[in-house]
Amino acid sequence: MKRIICIFMILIFITVPVLSQTKNPVKITAQKISYDYGKKTTRAEGNVVVIYKPGQEDETRITATLVFYNQDTNVVEAPGKVNISQKDLSIVGEDLKVDLKKEVLELKKNVNMVLQRKADNKVEITKLFAQSVVYSLKNKTGNMTGGVRIERDDLTVSSSSADFDTDKEIYTFVDNVKMVDKDKNEINCKKLVVYVKDKVVMAEGNIDTTFYVTE
């Protein structure tokens, strides 16, 4: 017998609540959804919004044009441009894969991350750019590769790759590292660790610096 596929085509958004083995809900809204309840797979199209752990402190929201969700493997995939948001972090990139069981996401192209945090009664913005990223939704840590760059009001850093912790705001840049601060002081090295909260950097390996005397 052919497998029955339920296709819902409506003009308004619809919501599909799903419970994973960890009991964390996944909600999907879209304009068109195809659900194969035999294989437990979902295809959502048109203004798709996926909400993982809705209403919780670490809620994650994914928006895309097309999303595939496999309830057995707990994997969400979205080809093309994708937007991801958490409490104070937003990520834009292309070709998303999220393992909800491990709470790890991967973006394969054109990654742009923006972190906004309050410090000294003002909002500090940290922007990160790379070709690809692997990020832990649970631990708030990750790795970026390919043309990595960080931009802040007080410094910019570029490198081949970087590890980061958005909770502690520690960024470790590796290979072909170049840092320039707001006073145009420059550090070139093999490895550079930026401690944003402490306003401190630590450099290692083949260090070449240029500092300017202030008048």
Side-chain angles (χ1 to χ4, degrees):
M1 181 181 294
K2 293 184 178 180
R3 191 177 305 279
I4 299 175
I5 299 178
C6 297
I7 301 177
F8 304 92
M9 299 182 63
I10 55 179
L11 297 177
I12 60 174
F13 290 154
I14 63 177
T15 302
V16 178
V18 184
L19 291 179
S20 68
Q21 292 180 351
T22 58
K23 305 302 182 183
N24 288 318
V26 178
K27 289 189 175 182
I28 302 174
T29 63
Q31 290 183 324
K32 178 181 177 182
I33 285 183
S34 173
Y35 174 54
D36 186 328
Y37 60 81
K39 293 181 178 179
K40 294 185 178 179
T41 58
T42 300
R43 175 191 173 103
E45 300 178 62
N47 299 322
V48 184
V49 179
V50 179
I51 306 176
Y52 178 56
K53 297 183 178 179
Q56 299 184 35
E57 180 71 16
D58 55 348
E59 174 184 296
T60 300
R61 184 179 294 259
I62 300 167
T63 60
T65 301
L66 176 64
V67 168
F68 300 93
Y69 175 59
N70 187 313
Q71 193 176 352
D72 281 338
T73 62
N74 286 305
V75 170
V76 174
E77 294 183 274
K81 188 175 180 180
V82 180
N83 290 270
I84 303 156
S85 61
Q86 288 187 311
K87 182 179 178 181
D88 49 15
L89 176 69
S90 63
I91 308 173
V92 178
E94 296 180 34
D95 299 342
L96 171 72
K97 182 177 181 180
V98 187
D99 187 327
L100 296 179
K101 187 176 292 184
K102 296 179 180 179
E103 298 193 336
V104 172
L105 70 79
E106 178 181 5
L107 281 166
K108 297 181 180 180
K109 295 180 183 177
N110 303 323
V111 178
N112 181 350
M113 301 177 64
V114 179
L115 178 68
Q116 300 186 60
R117 290 280 169 80
K118 284 187 177 180
D120 299 326
N121 296 319
K122 68 176 183 178
V123 177
E124 291 192 353
I125 299 175
T126 300
K127 297 180 181 180
L128 289 160
F129 305 89
Q131 276 302 304
S132 63
V133 66
V134 177
Y135 178 65
S136 170
L137 300 172
K138 181 178 181 180
N139 299 324
K140 307 297 187 293
T141 58
N143 172 264
M144 307 182 87
T145 56
V148 178
R149 190 170 79 258
I150 183 174
E151 293 181 358
R152 289 176 46 84
D153 287 340
D154 50 5
L155 61 77
T156 61
V157 183
S158 61
S159 68
S160 298
S161 65
D163 294 323
F164 60 91
D165 186 322
T166 59
D167 190 29
K168 297 179 180 178
E169 291 191 80
I170 299 174
Y171 305 88
T172 303
F173 298 89
V174 179
D175 291 333
N176 303 311
V177 181
K178 179 178 181 179
M179 186 212 82
V180 179
D181 69 9
K182 63 181 180 180
D183 297 316
K184 297 186 178 181
N185 298 307
E186 184 176 319
I187 299 176
N188 297 278
C189 58
K190 175 73 173 178
K191 177 181 177 181
L192 184 81
V193 183
V194 180
Y195 300 89
V196 169
K197 293 180 180 179
D198 298 325
K199 309 296 183 186
V200 172
V201 301
M202 299 290 290
E204 297 179 18
N206 303 321
I207 304 169
D208 179 15
T209 65
T210 302
F211 296 105
Y212 292 92
V213 177
T214 57
E215 297 180 355

